[in-house]
Amino acid sequence: MKIRRVRSANGAVLAAWDPESTAWIDLDAAASKFDTSRRGPWTMDLLTFLASRESGREAAERLMRAAAAEDVARLDDPPPGMPYQPTSLRCFMGWEKHWSQAAHQLVRKNLPILRPAIAAYESVVRRDFRALRPGASFDEHPVYYTGNPLSIVADGEILRWPAYTRQLDFELEFAMIIDRPVLDATEDEGSDAIGGFVVFNDMSARDVQWDEQRNGPFGPVVKTKTFGSSMGSVVVTPDEVLPHLGNLSASVSVNGETWTTTSTSGLRYSPGESIAYASRAENLYPGELFSSGTLPSGCGLELDRWIRPGDALTLEIEAIGSVTNEVGFPGR
């Protein structure tokens, strides 16, 4: 089921997509007419709705059918916005291919003198140069860094361009919202804790990344990453995503031109494994957000194509949705 938060006369409420009537249905308005017992957190708070799981989706379907039959509570083209405010952000690295392609491009741009030697080595051993591969930990368990949930902007808002970078970049990802607490979870328990999926854009300052990666003690995840990201308006429940997650098509377009097409194929660790790893000796709580890492060929660095101020940027993943933002001007 697809869920989003919308504004109404009663404040922020939830709307669900009804595929039969091809419309968004205001669940709060539908509940006020057909089932007042449902009004409250379930029709207003995303995490409460997600935590209601199958019973909640069945109740929403009943309300949508009733609303569609009487042509009430229908919302035509509601404006985009934030579906909820994450309480934390953990950013995983899901695809080795992305890492390899991005690392090779960083070397090409910043240390071109090394390219012939690296190419010769790789042609002989038939694998990536070791320094351009993920660290050994990636072969042993999921890896992530902790991002800044307060710098996430909504679908439709302007993405700020930090004044300290000349190479702003997008990163095509999906993110998972957990809706129940877990600790020391198994893979199955980690998967079961996921309440929803959303499209995510993890922005990066690539020139700053080169400096932080080579010279900073904490690696390329400080001012390279934490200044901003964005998430889609629509959250999709896992029953519609998990069965197909291994091969969803995805794309990025800039000003209406498709820059790249890719897919979720080749994800190194399952969502359940990633959540389970994050929960080792650590409590995870409803509302925390976990991003997948960048899909292969899902960023400008890999493509050697660069966004500019004023560009309209759209990232889309099949079955999950999209996020669209205008790129701001440096320093504002």
Side-chain angles (χ1 to χ4, degrees):
M1 179 170 285
K2 296 177 174 62
I3 301 293
R4 67 190 302 170
R5 188 164 62 173
V6 298
R7 301 296 301 180
S8 76
N10 296 322
V13 299
L14 299 180
W17 174 252
D18 178 23
E20 293 188 10
S21 63
T22 63
W24 290 96
I25 301 298
D26 180 335
L27 293 179
D28 189 67
S32 68
K33 181 173 179 61
F34 302 109
D35 185 0
T36 56
S37 67
R38 280 289 178 181
R39 292 200 68 196
W42 182 81
T43 61
M44 297 181 178
D45 177 70
L46 177 73
L47 295 179
T48 300
F49 181 91
L50 295 180
S52 67
R53 297 298 178 95
E54 186 175 357
S55 65
R57 295 195 297 270
E58 290 174 351
E61 288 171 357
R62 289 194 297 270
L63 288 176
M64 287 192 291
R65 285 195 296 270
E70 298 193 21
D71 196 25
V72 297
R74 180 188 178 107
L75 300 171
D76 293 315
D77 195 25
M82 283 280 278
Y84 88 116
Q85 176 58 57
T87 55
S88 77
L89 173 61
R90 301 167 203 244
C91 303
F92 283 84
M93 188 181 76
W95 289 267
E96 183 172 354
K97 184 177 180 181
H98 157 70
W99 177 278
S100 172
Q101 292 180 163
H104 279 80
Q105 284 286 61
L106 281 172
V107 169
R108 186 188 70 80
K109 293 180 69 66
N110 295 283
L111 289 174
I113 193 172
L114 297 181
R115 290 182 62 202
I118 291 173
Y121 172 87
E122 292 179 342
S123 69
V124 172
V125 302
R126 297 186 180 279
R127 66 182 306 178
D128 289 336
F129 187 66
R130 184 170 185 82
L132 302 182
R133 294 165 50 208
S137 293
F138 182 69
D139 292 326
E140 300 170 2
H141 56 73
V143 293
Y144 69 88
Y145 71 90
T146 302
N148 181 2
L150 299 180
S151 66
I152 301 172
V153 303
D155 189 10
E157 291 187 357
I158 293 176
L159 285 170
R160 184 183 179 193
W161 187 307
Y164 57 74
T165 181
R166 295 182 178 181
Q167 293 182 327
L168 188 64
D169 200 4
F170 58 86
E171 296 195 55
L172 170 62
E173 308 188 10
F174 64 79
M176 303 163 283
I177 304 164
I178 63 170
D179 64 3
R180 60 188 57 188
V182 290
L183 170 67
D184 289 324
T186 64
E187 180 182 353
D188 286 344
E189 290 168 340
S191 181
D192 187 58
I194 299 169
F197 287 81
V198 64
V199 177
F200 192 75
N201 179 9
D202 185 18
M203 301 295 290
S204 294
R206 296 303 187 188
D207 44 357
V208 179
Q209 178 178 4
W210 178 251
D211 176 69
E212 289 188 337
Q213 189 160 334
R214 296 174 68 242
N215 302 316
F218 298 113
V221 293
V222 188
K223 301 309 288 184
T224 297
K225 294 281 190 180
T226 55
F227 61 86
S229 51
S230 65
M231 64 190 301
S233 300
V234 177
V235 173
V236 184
T237 53
D239 57 298
E240 293 194 10
V241 177
L242 283 174
H244 315 289
L245 189 58
N247 194 29
L248 297 176
S249 61
S251 65
V252 176
S253 64
V254 179
N255 300 326
E257 177 191 357
T258 299
W259 276 22
T260 184
T261 57
T262 181
S263 82
T264 56
S265 177
L267 183 63
R268 176 64 177 82
Y269 295 99
S270 72
E273 288 177 298
S274 295
I275 302 301
Y277 179 75
S279 76
R280 288 185 183 179
E282 185 175 350
N283 287 292
L284 306 182
Y285 297 99
E288 298 197 53
L289 189 68
F290 301 80
S291 72
S292 64
T294 308
L295 276 63
S297 302
C299 69
L301 174 61
E302 291 173 88
L303 307 171
D304 196 22
R305 297 190 71 173
W306 300 92
I307 54 176
R308 297 175 297 180
D311 282 347
L313 179 62
T314 298
L315 285 63
E316 186 170 4
I317 302 178
E318 178 187 7
I320 300 178
S322 65
V323 59
T324 297
N325 301 95
E326 180 184 332
V327 180
F329 285 76
R332 51 192 173 93

